[in-house]
Amino acid sequence: MTLKQQLTDDMKTAMRGGDKDRLGVIRLIMAAVKQREVDERIELDDVQTLAVLEKMVKQRKDSITQYDAANRQDLADVERAEMKVIETYLPAKMGDEELDALITAAIAETGASSARDMGKVVAAVKEKAAGRADMGVVSGRIKARLAG
């Protein structure tokens, strides 16, 4: 079952169960996926759908930060609830050991030796860790590894 089919099935289940909050978030996800498909005139596969979900989580994190700074706990709580639902569709995050092993393999694979080669390593890791690692953290680790 593809991720889009799972979302559709979960939307139907939420409708039948009367779970309005979950239904609203799933509809937001489906709308974002559909928007990207229409904009790019393509049918999204699971990897591209995961990219949409990751973007939505990042947007929620940014909003939470801004709402907390503005002392708007009510709005921050709504964003946190939405983020929890979105994260249920993302694969489990990689552990530190697994991530370090992946970075080591990517450095060896690309032959990277300095910070100039960072782009190649990030691209290699991003391909293998799709949706399972925060690329900001990964980027920092790669930079540290190549610098020292």
Side-chain angles (χ1 to χ4, degrees), residues 73-92:
Q73 197 59 40
D74 54 333
L75 297 174
D77 290 342
V78 169
E79 295 291 326
R80 281 188 186 90
E82 287 180 2
M83 194 167 72
K84 275 186 186 171
V85 173
I86 296 168
E87 286 176 338
T88 61
Y89 295 101
L90 293 173

Side-chain angles (χ1 to χ4, degrees), residues 11 14 16 35 99 109 115 133:
M11 184 168 62
R16 287 188 202 110
Q35 183 65 50
L99 188 57
E109 191 179 293

Side-chain angles (χ1 to χ4, degrees), residues 2-65:
T2 68
L3 188 53
K4 286 182 2 183
Q5 289 171 329
Q6 182 183 354
L7 283 163
T8 303
D9 290 349
D10 288 352
M11 184 168 62
K12 290 175 186 174
T13 303
M15 277 188 223
R16 287 188 202 110
D19 189 352
K20 291 182 180 180
D21 294 334
R22 185 171 181 81
L23 177 62
V25 175
I26 294 172
R27 283 182 171 158
L28 283 173
I29 294 169
M30 294 296 287
V33 168
K34 216 28 133 184
Q35 183 65 50
R36 180 142 177 234
E37 286 180 338
V38 168
D39 288 349
E40 298 180 17
R41 293 182 178 93
I42 57 170
E43 182 79 20
L44 296 184
D45 61 10
D46 280 354
V47 173
Q48 293 165 320
T49 305
L50 281 175
V52 171
L53 293 173
E54 288 173 348
K55 182 178 178 183
M56 291 179 78
V57 167
K58 186 177 183 309
Q59 289 170 337
R60 301 291 172 298
K61 285 180 182 177
D62 292 344
S63 295
I64 289 168
T65 303

